[in-house]
Amino acid sequence: MNSDPVIEVRGLSKRVADATGELVILDGIDLTVTAGSSVAIIGASGSGKSTLLGLLAGLDSASAGSVRLLGQELTGMAEDQRAALRNGAVGFVFQSFQLMPHLTALENVALPLELQGGMSTREAFARSRALLERVGLGQRTGHYPKLLSGGEQQRVALARAFVTRPSILFADEPTGSLDAATGHAVIDLMFEMNRATGATLVLVTHDIDLARRCDTIVTIEAGRRVLHGDAVPGKVEAGR
Ligand SMILES: Nc1ncnc2c1ncn2[C@@H]1O[C@H](COP(=O)(O)OP(=O)(O)OP(=O)(O)O)[C@@H](O)[C@H]1O
Ligand SMILES: [Mg+2]
């Protein structure tokens, strides 16, 4: 593990127009994430966590401030350039999973490999199947998303995010729909990837056990990063 920053955020703000004028969703966030580390983003519902995650991953564009992802400035980059940077290097698990409804679990997981190219379908399916087995879905590879429970869809989404062996995994409440035992298995998988491949983990979570296992906890309150707003005793906030 080296300590180069893989994410550097300065003065990041997100504002949107609403009926009453302007809504400030994020206001001047600073954050540094080093390679191979794990970061938990916590805070109340509506505080801006998902918005922040989307900006860090280059899925959305900021109103002000800067985000450097893997050494490249996202600000001002066109969507297709951001997509090229994300491709293969970044895995994302959405709060709403966002699986493709017309693809089976196996096809959903293999899709990023197909988009990336350079691997035979047979190889892509073998790797995808192995990951589905890891998340306990070896018997569900042929299921379409609508036939899967919420927790099962979440695990497919996690397998899909890991399939390209990304250097950064962003996950929005990755254990939110899981029972305690399955949640632990998913957490173990994420930290195993963190150790084995050096993948940096950036996780939004309400799960105190998960937050505690991360190197750093970032607390967001009403769109601002707060120090000592730490709801998890015994963890030091760092990485400003
Ligand atoms: N495009 C948008 N237009 C208007 N308001 C938005 C938009 N995106 C987010 N918001 C608002 O910004 C706030 C932060 O949303 P966000 O989804 O980031 O919260 P969150 O911290 O992830 O909450 P939760 O824990 O419930 O998932 C919310 O009040 C939301 O309604
Ligand atoms: Mg959210």
Side-chain angles (χ1 to χ4, degrees):
M1 179 165 116
N2 63 45
S3 57
D4 292 342
V6 284
I7 305 172
E8 279 182 285
V9 172
R10 294 292 169 260
L12 187 66
S13 297
K14 180 73 181 179
R15 298 182 287 266
V16 295
D18 74 354
T20 57
E22 196 183 53
L23 179 67
V24 178
I25 301 177
L26 290 174
D27 188 12
I29 303 276
D30 292 331
L31 174 67
T32 302
V33 179
T34 53
S37 67
S38 52
V39 179
I41 299 172
I42 64 172
S45 178
S47 56
K49 305 179 299 297
S50 295
T51 305
L52 176 60
L53 206 67
L55 287 170
L56 299 184
L59 297 170
D60 190 6
S61 52
S63 306
S66 71
V67 179
R68 281 182 81 80
L69 178 68
L70 298 164
Q72 294 201 52
E73 180 59 58
L74 295 181
T75 317
M77 218 186 241
E79 167 50 28
D80 57 339
Q81 288 176 293
R82 293 202 305 257
L85 174 59
R86 283 195 305 270
N87 191 14
V90 168
F92 202 98
V93 181
F94 293 92
Q95 197 167 5
S96 52
F97 320 137
Q98 300 199 11
L99 299 175
M100 298 287 188
H102 57 287
L103 298 181
T104 64
L106 184 66
E107 289 163 350
N108 263 287
V109 176
L111 186 62
L113 292 174
E114 273 174 44
L115 294 175
Q116 209 177 23
M119 191 184 276
S120 71
T121 304
R122 187 193 165 96
E123 233 181 314
F125 278 5
R127 193 195 279 190
S128 303
R129 192 179 295 279
L131 269 172
L132 282 171
E133 279 165 10
R134 274 305 317 271
V135 297
L137 293 176
Q139 305 298 316
R140 299 285 187 279
T141 59
H143 276 50
Y144 288 92
K146 69 169 190 279
L147 299 177
L148 296 167
S149 72
E152 287 171 344
Q153 290 180 44
Q154 189 157 36
R155 284 181 277 158
V156 174
L158 188 74
R160 180 181 60 181
F162 269 130
V163 79
T164 57
R165 298 177 184 154
S167 53
I168 310 180
L169 175 81
F170 294 96
D172 201 344
E173 303 198 19
T175 58
S177 302
L178 305 178
D179 60 77
T182 315
H184 280 124
V186 159
I187 293 172
D188 287 345
L189 174 67
M190 290 191 295
F191 283 96
E192 194 181 302
M193 294 292 183
N194 172 250
R195 275 191 304 273
T197 70
T200 306
L201 303 178
V202 183
L203 315 170
V204 168
T205 189
H206 289 287
D207 179 341
I208 294 303
D209 287 338
L210 175 52
R212 275 212 179 105
R213 285 186 60 174
C214 292
D215 300 320
T216 305
I217 293 178
V218 169
T219 306
I220 305 295
E221 255 178 45
R224 288 171 170 264
R225 184 168 174 193
V226 291
L227 277 180
H228 313 301
D230 190 353
V232 184
K235 288 292 304 196
V236 180
E237 295 207 39
R240 278 238 175 192

